[in-house]
Amino acid sequence: MSKIRSHIMVCGGTGCVSSSSEEIISSLKSELKKNGYDKEIKVVKTGCFGFCGQGPIVKIHPDNVFYVKVKPEDAKEIIEEQIIKGRKVERLLYSEPVTDIKLDEYSKMNFYKKQYRIALRNCGLINPEDINEYIAFNGYEALGKVLTEMTQDDVIKVIKDSGLRGRGGGGFPTGLKWEFTKRSINDQKYIICNADEGDPGAFMDRSILEGDPHSVLEAMAIGAYAIGANHGVIYIRAEYPLAIHRLEIALKQARELGLLGNNIFSSDFNFDIEIKFGAGAFVCGEETALIHSVEGCRGEPTKKPPYPAESGYNGKPTCVNNVETFANITSIINKGSKWFSSIGTEKSKGTKVFALAGKVNNVGLVEVPMGTTLREIIYDIGGGITDDKDFKAVQTGGPSGGVITKADLDTPIDYESLKSIGSMMGSGGMIVMDEDNCMVNIAKFYLEFTQDESCGKCTPCRVGTKRMYEILDRITNGEGVPEDIDKLIELGNMIKDTALCGLGQTAPNPVLSTLHYFREEYEAHINDKKCFTGTCKALAKYSIDPEKCIGCTACARKCPVDCISGSPKEVHVIDQDKCIACGACYDACKFDAVIKP
Amino acid sequence: MAIKSLDELRKIREASAKKVNLRETGNSSEDIIEVLIGMATCGIAAGARETLNTFIDEIDKKDIKNIRVIQVGCMGYCHSEPTVQVNIPGNSPVLYGNVDEKMAIDIIEKHILNNELLDENILIKTFEKA
Ligand SMILES: Cc1cc2nc3c(=O)[nH]c(=O)nc-3n(C[C@H](O)[C@H](O)[C@H](O)COP(=O)(O)O)c2cc1C
Ligand code: SF4
Ligand code: SF4
Ligand code: SF4
Ligand code: FES
């Protein structure tokens, strides 16, 4: 039966699929066939390896060779060299950004060395469309154990003792939430998986669902048993077609094996899951809005209490948990609460997955123990800032969070420490910014997002975020006035105090935190009409250094609005009133004479 | 077919585990036996592919765990192809020459399962792990 001697794993995550991993798979298969090796070598489509910035990824077992940035036309060489002759294809190996050393095994790469994978344990290791592969790596053992050996309270106790807290942003202790929902007595209860993932730039939840959907289904069943529910809902945004497709396959296979349905593991526990689609509104990730959306009503938040644990979906006790929260559950049941609580910091246990993006060399998904420092994530795992530029700040917590500066790079990451420096854990988006990023512009970007996503139900958020956005827009257009800074702070604090839901309550954070750490940048925009980074086009004024200009005329010939004057061999001058800050002169000058604003 | 008990689940797990045990999970690479097979042009011409497949078949038949068969490039002993190197953790690597299908079976039965070296076929045995 298993004459298969080698597995070629090709990443089938959304990132790699969009850079042709499907074509790589079919080329590999046809090359294998052509050479008569298709019976002994298997090509497996996996979930995301996390190393998306280097995708598409191809990993070969048992040789343990890891290829990056593979193209369909590389398939021939991989088969002819690696598979037939056992020689590595050097040019497809990853080379470490700092040392430039080529590495073949993934365990040697800095990107993977400091990671610890619990939620992502199976991503890149199994074929997510085959339940047997999930079972091969201990899948559904936890559910079996729970249903045959543990009481509801036993399960809740293990999760409570583990110290697991919600990964959806709030950080509420998961075991406690399960206990509250269990205690609400009712004939009908629900468990909901929040897969709305609205934070721009974040894709942890999507990758888990794409790479290891059964880990979430199994955990939902365990949670349902613990709280006494028999109906589950996965609320997922319709923009995640691949994750939805894999979930549907997973649900079908789990039902066929009786792991969902009636009398699971011959117990009297019945449970099944349906998928509900969201239209991709940020506010629908908020649990009360999510529940309304699942009910078919408008996705608007309502006040808490009552909490969903008492009155949620259809007015019944409901437990809402995040995808990544669920992805930790089976490991906790299998390995015990002590094991889990030995990882992390005093109050934040386990690991956290971050979507590392922005100006870092290794863009991708990383899972690290709580308490890892930002410096380790950005420099060791992330490989440092692109083009050797200077680090300026990192935004965590997405549109609800704030910036963290160089001074706090050594902060160990956990829920409390991030809060104490004016940011938050959030769902795990982590955007790295370098010296070229304008902080006013970053704040404006997030506010544009939140004011657009505000559901409009309450005034502070609906009107307040709009006003804040208008002020920021003015400042970046060079029309800011000195009172603007105080106005932003006052408005921001007012919105935080009076908005109904978490969206409004946290929307001012990016503004308040950039104001706190980079006030001088706001002042330069307002008082000197200057944007140091050149990001705010209206404020960007290019000029020419008379000491360096040799009068070669290159810039004048490139300027699209003809605002550079000067005769050959004489110093050139830019008419700043006409300059549109396109930067063409800067690129044209070979003598470093054009000064970027 | 529905899974009715943990035992049934474990049976499926064992059957499925065979299909994925090639994959390195990062857990226990320390105590894994490696069989390296030279698969350069000379090796293939001398029948290395048949040797390789014999190893795979035998390992499957005898249900040996903790073993990986890895093909490598030319090991520099083209006169004695196919060449096979056996790395058992804690022992120095052993290199065999002229390994045909019958000898592959011998290597598994004697060397890997019973720790008896096949002296007459050893090319070298004191060198660093490749
Ligand atoms: C505006 C807003 C958006 C949210 N978006 C998400 C989301 O996309 N995914 C998520 O799991 N939780 C999101 N949350 C948090 C949920 O309300 C809820 O706390 C979470 O799903 C609970 O699961 P957990 O305890 O496992 O974290 C959001 C909250 C707010 C206020
Ligand atoms: S704070 Fe904003 S998103 Fe939340 S209910 Fe009010 S208007 Fe809607
Ligand atoms: S930035 Fe563009 S518009 Fe301004 S001077 Fe240079 S080339 Fe002309
Ligand atoms: S390209 Fe540079 S050196 Fe040449 S005229 Fe322009 S500013 Fe002066
Ligand atoms: S999508 Fe392929 S590595 Fe992330």
Side-chain angles (χ1 to χ4, degrees), chain A residues 68-116:
Chain A
V68 300
K69 294 192 176 157
V70 180
K71 297 195 190 64
E73 53 272 26
D74 297 328
K76 189 164 158 32
E77 198 174 338
I78 292 178
I79 301 300
E80 287 178 355
E81 286 295 302
Q82 173 81 54
I83 298 299
I84 300 182
K85 295 185 186 155
R87 285 198 295 235
K88 286 165 194 151
V89 184
E90 290 284 331
R91 66 180 178 85
L92 295 175
L93 295 178
Y94 170 67
S95 72
E96 206 67 76
V98 192
T99 56
D100 235 4
I101 296 174
K102 293 223 171 226
L103 297 176
D104 51 353
E105 289 186 20
Y106 90 124
S107 53
K108 294 182 192 152
M109 297 172 188
N110 282 330
F111 180 76
Y112 287 107
K113 250 192 239 166
K114 288 211 166 178
Q115 294 200 46
Y116 189 69

Side-chain angles (χ1 to χ4, degrees), chain B residues 6-16:
Chain B
L6 268 174
D7 280 342
E8 287 179 26
L9 177 76
R10 286 173 188 150
K11 268 193 208 113
I12 294 192
R13 176 157 81 231
E14 265 156 40
S16 313

Side-chain angles (χ1 to χ4, degrees), chain A residues 2-3 5 7 36-37 40 61-62 82-86 125 132-133 135 138 141 257 265-266, chain B residues 1 3-4 9-10 13 16 19 23-25 39 44 49 52-53 56-57 60 68-69 71-73:
Chain A
S2 93
K3 263 195 81 176
R5 64 174 168 88
H7 290 179
Y37 279 75
E40 43 196 287
H61 295 281
Q82 173 81 54
I83 298 299
I84 300 182
K85 295 185 186 155
L125 181 68
N132 288 321
E133 293 208 358
I135 292 175
N138 246 353
E141 173 83 16
L257 290 186
F265 281 103
S266 307
Chain B
M1 184 212 63
I3 296 174
K4 291 260 174 275
L9 177 76
R10 286 173 188 150
R13 176 157 81 231
S16 313
K19 290 186 213 151
R23 297 182 203 162
E24 197 253 347
T25 55
M39 290 286 275
I44 296 173
R49 195 173 164 203
L52 173 78
N53 284 328
I56 304 276
D57 278 348
D60 183 49
R68 296 201 280 169
V69 182
Q71 49 176 347
V72 295

Side-chain angles (χ1 to χ4, degrees), chain A residues 544 548-556 572 588-591 593-594:
Chain A
I544 291 171
K548 286 190 180 163
C549 174
I550 63 145
C552 75
T553 75
C555 58
H572 281 51
C589 183
K590 291 198 171 59
F591 305 93
V594 176

Side-chain angles (χ1 to χ4, degrees), chain B residues 99-117:
Chain B
V99 183
D100 57 14
E101 294 171 37
K102 185 184 152 300
M103 207 171 112
I105 297 174
D106 274 3
I107 290 178
I108 296 240
E109 282 183 352
K110 300 204 173 115
H111 186 162
I112 292 173
L113 291 179
N114 291 313
N115 228 351
E116 287 165 36
L117 303 192

Side-chain angles (χ1 to χ4, degrees), chain B:
Chain B
M1 184 212 63
I3 296 174
K4 291 260 174 275
S5 66
L6 268 174
D7 280 342
E8 287 179 26
L9 177 76
R10 286 173 188 150
K11 268 193 208 113
I12 294 192
R13 176 157 81 231
E14 265 156 40
S16 313
K18 257 192 183 174
K19 290 186 213 151
V20 297
N21 64 8
L22 292 170
R23 297 182 203 162
E24 197 253 347
T25 55
N27 286 336
S28 58
S29 59
E30 296 298 281
D31 41 58
I32 282 186
I33 302 171
E34 288 176 328
V35 179
L36 309 182
I37 303 187
M39 290 286 275
T41 311
C42 47
I44 296 173
R49 195 173 164 203
E50 288 71 26
T51 306
L52 173 78
N53 284 328
T54 310
F55 270 106
I56 304 276
D57 278 348
E58 280 302 303
I59 288 169
D60 183 49
K61 255 189 240 157
K62 301 212 157 65
D63 203 15
I64 307 172
K65 306 228 162 70
N66 289 349
I67 189 162
R68 296 201 280 169
V69 182
I70 300 171
Q71 49 176 347
V72 295
C74 180
M75 296 199 253
Y77 300 93
C78 310
H79 49 82
S80 307
E81 293 289 354
T83 49
V84 168
Q85 180 181 328
V86 179
N87 297 339
I88 297 186
N91 299 337
S92 45
V94 178
L95 184 67
Y96 290 106
N98 302 314
V99 183
D100 57 14
E101 294 171 37
K102 185 184 152 300
M103 207 171 112
I105 297 174
D106 274 3
I107 290 178
I108 296 240
E109 282 183 352
K110 300 204 173 115
H111 186 162
I112 292 173
L113 291 179
N114 291 313
N115 228 351
E116 287 165 36
L117 303 192
L118 284 68
D119 289 319
E120 63 277 27
N121 295 298
I122 291 182
L123 283 175
I124 34 173
K125 72 176 184 187
T126 42
F127 65 105
E128 280 308 301
K129 201 168 153 178

